[in-house]
Amino acid sequence: MSPVRVALVDDQELMRTGFRMILETEDGIDVVGEAAHGAAAVDLCHAARPDVVLMDIRMPGMDGIEATRRIVDELPDVKVLVLTTFDLDEYVFGAVRAGASGFLLKDTPADRLVEAIHLVARGEALMSPTVTRRLIEEFARAPGPAPEGSVHGLDDLTDREVEVLRLIARGLSNAEIAAELIVGETTVKTHVSRVLMKLGVRDRVQAVVVAYESGTVRPGDNH
């Protein structure tokens, strides 16, 4: 398999250097560039076409949320993994809406960082339970309108696919969903793929956004 191409975006050079030192020791990861602010990150992604961007949120000029939005809109194949100092960061909700595929704390252990990059590169989403709860609270407090075209996609889901979507919204992995439904993990992967395709979304995070914003999944459903 080809190495996962990673771009590092953080306004602190020391932080970028630290991440580079960790990742350059990994055979399956290739660091293809660095950027110190959002606008440079967008340019870097167009030039280097990374698979995954490690994106800081708080940066001068164009912040990580706007940079994520631009990258996701202009380069749909590029996945963004947001790095934050606090998992209840006020910017987390905006970054999810912008298209981020996951979140990690900056003090995440090196092996977890590497695992997360591979996970996101495969198209899976990565959110800590704390971040998931934060998103649910945000949706409960101020749910937005359903994204254009999403209601039609939701209507196309089978009962089992809606069930899978609810479990995704609880933050369950494919293996955990398989255990919950007493089916094989391959079957779950098929269901998840169909859910994403029917909703017209790029990953599990965006599927959860659509589910909550449309009211198909409500905050109380997770308990």
Side-chain angles (χ1 to χ4, degrees):
M1 292 177 61
S2 300
V4 177
R5 296 167 57 80
V6 177
L8 307 175
V9 182
D10 197 299
D11 62 329
Q12 297 181 45
E13 183 178 0
L14 188 61
M15 191 67 68
R16 297 197 309 273
T17 301
F19 284 129
R20 179 182 281 275
M21 288 176 64
I22 291 170
L23 299 179
E24 284 185 338
T25 64
E26 296 294 323
D27 292 337
I29 292 178
D30 183 12
V31 178
V32 296
E34 301 179 16
H37 55 80
V42 176
D43 291 341
L44 171 62
C45 287
H46 277 283
R49 298 298 173 108
D51 300 305
V52 177
V53 181
L54 293 186
M55 177 75 74
D56 186 24
I57 292 184
R58 305 186 186 200
M59 295 181 290
M62 182 188 294
D63 65 14
I65 294 176
E66 181 58 28
T68 295
R69 183 178 295 110
R70 290 271 303 275
I71 290 166
V72 169
D73 286 347
E74 297 170 18
L75 300 164
D77 291 336
V78 178
K79 306 293 195 303
V80 178
L81 182 55
V82 169
L83 295 164
T84 180
T85 308
F86 306 103
D87 58 1
L88 291 181
D89 193 303
E90 64 198 66
Y91 292 97
V92 161
F93 189 60
V96 167
R97 285 181 176 275
S101 293
F103 292 86
L104 274 184
L105 293 177
K106 286 188 175 182
D107 60 358
T108 295
D111 58 344
R112 179 62 174 148
L113 173 66
V114 171
E115 178 188 358
I117 289 171
H118 285 293
L119 193 71
V120 169
R122 292 197 301 267
E124 297 193 43
L126 183 77
M127 287 197 296
S128 72
T130 317
V131 169
T132 303
R133 283 197 300 274
R134 163 78 171 182
L135 293 177
I136 291 168
E137 289 167 6
E138 288 284 357
F139 280 117
R141 187 159 54 241
E148 184 177 352
S150 68
V151 174
H152 173 73
L154 286 164
D155 289 342
D156 289 342
L157 298 182
T158 65
D159 290 343
R160 176 45 66 94
E161 287 164 356
V162 170
E163 192 174 9
V164 168
L165 179 58
R166 291 181 189 277
L167 295 174
I168 291 173
R170 280 171 47 190
L172 272 60
S173 66
N174 285 352
E176 291 167 335
I177 293 173
E180 182 91 7
L181 299 179
I182 317 177
V183 298
E185 195 169 343
T186 302
T187 300
V188 172
K189 288 180 180 177
T190 300
H191 285 314
V192 171
S193 296
R194 287 176 178 165
V195 168
L196 300 185
M197 180 185 68
K198 289 181 179 181
L199 296 183
V201 295
R202 56 189 268 127
D203 59 32
R204 298 158 81 102
V205 175
Q206 299 306 304
V208 173
V209 171
V210 170
Y212 277 111
E213 289 189 330
S214 66
T216 297
V217 176
R218 302 179 188 280
D221 293 343
N222 281 340
H223 302 288

